[in-house]
């Protein structure tokens, strides 16, 4: 069990999303950064799709009421256990009674907390993701509140044995134990940095309907993520993007990373809690491999865009998945052979 | 042969466009693609979203590549298109299956339909006449979007078209039946909105715990049936 002393700004349980119900108008939800939580899960011996706590901007204070293994991946919100700073991208054994505190986002915007065994909440339509507007999934369909008690699921037998071993190895004074190994920074870096490398986009279905000027502005100007941004979408402020002539489009499907332009000319970049369909012209679509970077951008961050071909975007996606697969094998071997030391 | 176009929606989806106008013929084509996808699922298709003139297929680029030859030069998109084309080329304009008819009981007016007097005034008709016209329409669910089970339907009589409210309500209760411009519809979950509310149904349109989580599906035929406040209340009690 984990006791929520302070909930933070917006802490919700999310997995890889609710798949297969969009035809019924049910949004996917799921994690904003599709990669960091997969790594966090691997580090604690979970399936990479297990539900994690997505912590946004300002973190919660959580009290562990049982021994467990945790991992934090994604943005840096200065995690501390009982006042000692702790490592991210590495498994950490946490003892019963310890308090995990997360502060303001220093780098990135969101951090993902995975616990061995996952969080024990019911699946709704095949997913444990919180769908805030409909009030379903996750923990009672809502963000965490003070005094919530989160149940932890049963870890794999291997991890359960490790937890017992680690308990015996630690002295009474030790509140937690950091493992010596961690995920190579090449995996962590793109998600941690706010480095302003361009977000790669594929031209959208209605790209050609925009004025030449607007098409140029999209690639040459920068846009700022407005404070009116949330899990549903980022509103971008910058050059006004206009169509050659007014048209009326029929609503159709949109996706994670779709950049649509409403009539005021200020683009909206659709994120995890997007609606299933939309009627605004779609000027572009973010390459899947750059979604994690985007998810770690705070309101106020400046974005620039760079064109990428569909072929290249898919090639990079396949490469990323193969790297993640290798990482998964590496982590598995590490935890089996060397244990959590 | 049916005219269609295929375009990518980013690196994980393909849009099949089956027409330019919202017509029954295009709707039938959309439904035949949906029927095909339901009956012959490709293992690389993760899900699909039907809309007025399109069906968008979401896919996993990892799964679409031939397993024996992952180093093929063709992109996952090209592989997906190559697999879809033979079917789409043989698509015929003969889909005529009539969808299910779903009867939606509505308690019109009063506290459950606070804008009914406004709508009646706007058209210089009595409230009874508005209810009569609204419940006589033949409605077809062209697509579902915006919210779980929210129907984009066709078939409302032009005579009922009423502009949206100037000041949208912050909370529209779930089950509210409204009119906005020349559209009518039912709100499955509580949301803000500017529709003129003429009634409310006791039927839940969104049931997340049920195996079929939404009452309405693309292709359904809707009938609105007027009920009394007593019937509305007793329905609620039955549910509880």
């Amino acid at each position: 069990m984990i006791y929520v002393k302070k909930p933070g700004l917006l802490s919700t349980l999310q997995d890889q999303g609710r798949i297969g119900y969009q035809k019924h108008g049910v949004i996917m939800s799921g994690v904003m950064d599709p990669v960091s939580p997969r790594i966090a899960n691997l580090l604690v011996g979970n399936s990479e799709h297990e539900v994690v706590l997505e912590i946004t901007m300002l973190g919660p204070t959580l009290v562990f009421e049982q021994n467990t293994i945790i991992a934090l991946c994604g943005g840096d919100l200065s995690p501390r256990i009982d006042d000692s700073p702790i490592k991210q991208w590495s498994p950490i054994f946490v003892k019963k009674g310890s308090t995990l505190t997360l502060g303001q986002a220093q780098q990135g915007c969101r951090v993902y907390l995975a616990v061995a065994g996952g969080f024990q909440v019911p699946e709704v339509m095949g997913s444990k993701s919180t769908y805030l507007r409909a009030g379903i999934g996750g923990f009672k369909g809502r963000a965490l509140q003070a005094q919530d008690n989160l149940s932890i699921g049963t870890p794999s037998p291997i991890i359960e044995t490790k937890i017992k071993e680690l308990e015996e190895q630690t002295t009474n004074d030790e509140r937690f134990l950091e493992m010596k190994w961690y995920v190579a920074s090449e995996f962590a870096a793109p998600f941690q940095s706010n480095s302003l490398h361009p977000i790669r986009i594929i031209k959208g279905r209605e790209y050609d309907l925009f004025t030449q000027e607007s098409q140029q502005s999209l690639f040459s100007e920068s846009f700022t993520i407005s404070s009116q941004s949330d899990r549903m979408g980022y509103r971008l402020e910058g050059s006004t993007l206009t169509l050659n002539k007014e048209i009326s489009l029929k609503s159709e499907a949109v996706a994670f990373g779709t950049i649509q332009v409403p009539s005021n000319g200020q683009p909206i970049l659709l994120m995890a809690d997007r609606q299933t369909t939309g009627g605004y012209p779609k000027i572009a679509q973010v390459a899947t491999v750059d979604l994690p970077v985007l998810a770690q951008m705070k309101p106020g961050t400046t974005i620039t865009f760079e064109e990428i071909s569909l072929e290249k975007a898919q090639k990079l996606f396949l490469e990323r998945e193969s790297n993640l697969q290798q990482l998964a094998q590496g982590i598995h071997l590490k935890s089996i052979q060397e244990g959590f030391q | 042969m049916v005219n269609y176009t295929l375009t990518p929606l980013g690196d994980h989806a393909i849009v099949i466009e089956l027409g330019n106008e919202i017509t029954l013929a295009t709707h039938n084509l959309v439904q035949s693609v949906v029927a095909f996808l339901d009956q012959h699922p490709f293992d690389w298709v993760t899900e699909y979203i039907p809309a007025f003139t399109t069906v968008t297929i979401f896919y996993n680029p990892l799964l679409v590549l031939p397993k024996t030859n992952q180093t093929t030069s063709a992109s996952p998109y090209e592989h997906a298109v190559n697999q879809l084309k033979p079917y789409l080329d043989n698509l015929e304009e003969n889909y005529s299956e009539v969808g299910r008819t779903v009867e939606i009981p509505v308690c019109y007016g009063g506290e459950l339909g606070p804008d009914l007097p406004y709508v009646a005034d706007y058209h210089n008709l009595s409230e009874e006449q508005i209810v009569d016209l609204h419940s006589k329409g033949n409605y077809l669910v062209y697509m579902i979007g915006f919210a779980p089970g929210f129907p984009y339907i066709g078939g409302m009589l032009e005579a009922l078209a009423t502009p949206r409210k100037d000041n949208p309500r912050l909370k529209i209760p779930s089950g509210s039946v409204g009119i906005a411009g020349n559209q009518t519809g039912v709100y499955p979950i509580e949301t803000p909105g500017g529709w003129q509310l003429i009634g409310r149904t006791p039927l839940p349109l969104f049931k997340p715990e049920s195996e079929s989580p939404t009452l309405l599906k693309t292709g359904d035929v809707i009938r609105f049936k007027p009920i009394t406040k007593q019937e509305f209340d007793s329905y609620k009690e039955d549910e509880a």
Side-chain angles (χ1 to χ4, degrees):
Chain A
M1 197 82 97
I2 297 175
Y3 173 74
V4 180
K5 206 165 164 185
K6 284 186 196 165
L9 187 66
L10 177 67
S11 308
T12 60
L13 293 181
Q14 300 290 345
D15 57 20
Q16 294 288 322
R18 199 157 272 118
I19 296 164
Y21 295 90
Q22 290 196 84
K23 58 175 174 244
H24 300 302
V26 178
I27 66 170
M28 254 187 94
S29 310
V31 286
M32 287 280 273
D33 170 350
V35 173
S36 305
R38 287 168 68 184
I39 299 177
N41 272 321
L42 291 169
L43 289 168
V44 300
N46 290 345
S47 132
E48 42 182 301
H49 304 298
E50 187 54 74
V51 65
V52 295
L53 186 65
E54 179 179 273
I55 295 161
T56 313
M57 294 290 282
L58 177 67
T61 301
L62 306 170
V63 183
F64 288 85
E65 293 180 344
Q66 69 188 78
N67 297 324
T68 183
I69 293 171
I70 66 165
L72 287 157
C73 296
D76 178 3
L77 276 66
S78 317
R80 302 171 86 85
I81 291 181
D82 290 356
D83 292 330
S84 308
I86 52 163
K87 266 203 304 233
Q88 299 199 170
W89 305 92
S90 176
I92 295 170
F93 169 67
V94 184
K95 263 167 99 178
K96 184 178 172 178
S98 304
T99 302
L100 170 69
T101 319
L102 289 121
Q104 297 245 9
Q106 304 298 314
Q107 266 188 315
C109 184
R110 306 179 159 80
V111 66
Y112 294 88
L113 169 69
V115 296
F119 295 94
Q120 210 177 29
V121 289
E123 271 192 5
V124 181
M125 288 178 268
S127 164
K128 294 174 180 170
S129 286
T130 315
Y131 175 0
L132 288 169
R133 180 170 256 186
I136 58 166
F139 185 81
K140 300 183 176 171
R142 59 166 172 78
L144 293 192
Q145 292 172 2
Q147 298 177 22
D148 283 344
N149 281 300
L150 293 172
S151 295
I152 299 177
T154 313
S156 65
I158 281 190
I159 300 292
E160 217 159 35
T161 313
K162 297 280 176 210
I163 292 174
K164 287 203 182 90
E165 281 171 21
L166 287 161
E167 190 187 358
E168 284 160 18
Q169 283 166 26
T170 47
T171 66
N172 279 340
D173 303 340
E174 288 174 309
R175 305 310 309 151
F176 66 98
L177 197 60
E178 280 181 328
M179 307 307 142
K180 290 196 179 71
W181 55 279
Y182 51 90
V183 173
S185 58
E186 64 196 72
F187 278 100
F191 318 125
Q192 283 182 328
S193 77
N194 277 341
S195 65
L196 299 178
H197 74 78
I199 295 289
R200 288 162 292 189
I201 52 175
I202 303 162
K203 286 177 182 167
R205 254 164 73 76
E206 284 85 31
Y207 176 83
D208 292 334
L209 303 181
F210 285 85
T211 63
Q212 216 163 10
E213 242 185 338
S214 298
Q215 293 177 358
Q216 272 166 8
S217 304
L218 181 66
F219 294 109
S220 59
E221 313 272 318
S222 62
F223 294 86
T224 306
I225 301 177
S226 117
S227 56
Q228 303 274 302
S229 300
D230 55 18
R231 281 182 43 89
M232 194 168 168
Y234 289 177
R235 285 170 186 273
L236 305 182
E237 288 166 351
S239 297
T240 304
L241 304 178
T242 48
L243 295 164
N244 277 313
K245 56 172 187 192
E246 228 174 90
I247 44 151
S248 149
L249 294 173
K250 283 100 203 151
S251 284
E252 62 181 37
V254 291
F256 196 168
T258 299
I259 304 177
Q260 57 174 21
V261 184
S263 43
N264 68 6
Q266 297 294 289
I268 299 173
L269 211 167
L270 298 176
M271 300 297 285
D273 277 355
R274 68 200 174 274
Q275 286 176 8
T276 55
T277 56
Y280 296 127
K282 301 176 284 298
I283 195 167
Q285 175 78 32
V286 174
T288 298
V289 286
D290 279 354
L291 292 175
V293 185
L294 207 56
Q296 292 298 348
M297 289 179 165
K298 286 184 214 151
T301 307
T302 305
I303 303 188
T304 55
F305 295 111
E306 180 182 282
E307 193 185 351
I308 188 173
S309 68
L310 170 61
E311 292 69 29
K312 185 76 195 296
Q314 293 202 315
K315 194 165 164 273
L316 292 176
F317 172 76
L318 297 178
E319 274 171 25
R320 182 190 83 185
E321 289 304 303
S322 128
N323 288 343
L324 278 170
Q325 220 171 3
Q326 279 176 25
L327 177 71
Q329 280 163 3
I331 291 174
H332 187 66
L333 282 176
K334 199 89 187 163
S335 43
I336 301 278
Q337 288 171 354
E338 300 184 27
F340 279 93
Q341 284 300 308
Chain B
M1 207 172 100
V2 167
N3 281 326
Y4 68 89
T5 59
L6 297 176
T7 40
L9 171 67
D11 52 32
H12 275 64
I14 301 174
V15 184
I16 307 169
E17 185 161 16
L18 297 150
N20 311 316
E21 296 300 325
I22 302 173
T23 61
L24 194 59
T26 305
H27 169 78
N28 285 340
L29 286 175
V30 166
Q31 285 299 95
S32 56
V33 172
V34 164
F36 167 73
L37 289 170
D38 284 341
Q39 285 155 24
H40 308 276
F42 295 108
D43 61 358
W44 43 269
V45 172
T46 50
E47 62 180 312
Y48 63 83
I49 303 180
F52 288 119
T53 58
T54 57
V55 180
T56 300
I57 291 178
F58 291 80
Y59 65 100
N60 182 343
L62 275 175
L63 298 180
V64 76
L65 291 178
K67 286 185 181 58
T68 47
N69 183 12
Q70 293 267 348
T71 56
T72 166
S73 60
S75 69
Y77 176 74
E78 286 165 308
H79 276 285
V81 164
N82 289 339
Q83 291 187 49
L84 286 173
K85 270 194 163 156
Y87 161 71
L88 293 170
D89 287 341
N90 288 315
L91 196 66
E92 288 181 19
E93 293 182 60
N94 61 1
Y95 187 91
S96 59
E97 214 171 288
V98 179
R100 307 173 307 159
T101 296
V102 181
E103 194 177 73
I104 299 184
V106 181
C107 177
Y108 286 95
E111 57 185 291
L112 303 176
D115 300 325
L116 183 62
Y118 175 85
V119 174
D121 272 359
Y122 185 85
H123 294 286
N124 272 326
L125 294 170
S126 69
E127 292 183 21
E128 291 72 26
Q129 283 170 309
I130 298 289
V131 171
D132 189 47
L133 288 172
H134 189 262
S135 55
K136 236 172 28 195
N138 284 308
Y139 301 97
L140 174 65
V141 179
Y142 277 94
M143 63 178 276
I144 301 278
F146 176 68
F150 181 85
Y152 285 81
I153 63 184
M156 190 178 77
L157 295 167
E158 279 296 324
L160 288 174
T162 316
R164 285 164 195 266
K165 291 185 83 71
D166 291 336
N167 290 316
R169 286 185 171 85
L170 291 174
K171 276 184 182 180
I172 290 187
S174 63
S176 292
V177 177
I179 291 177
N182 54 9
Q183 289 188 79
T184 183
V186 190
Y187 282 98
I189 58 176
E190 185 185 283
T191 91
W195 290 38
Q196 306 285 356
L197 307 182
I198 59 170
R200 201 182 301 170
T201 178
L203 274 190
L205 267 72
F206 180 46
K207 296 175 284 182
E209 308 302 334
S210 132
E211 201 169 309
S212 168
T214 56
L215 178 69
L216 299 173
K217 288 196 301 210
T218 308
D220 283 346
V221 173
I222 294 182
R223 303 246 184 276
F224 292 111
K225 182 189 152 208
I227 57 168
T228 63
K229 181 73 172 42
Q230 284 76 16
E231 285 171 310
F232 181 91
D233 290 339
S234 67
Y235 187 94
K236 285 274 179 199
E237 281 158 24
D238 291 349
E239 276 289 283

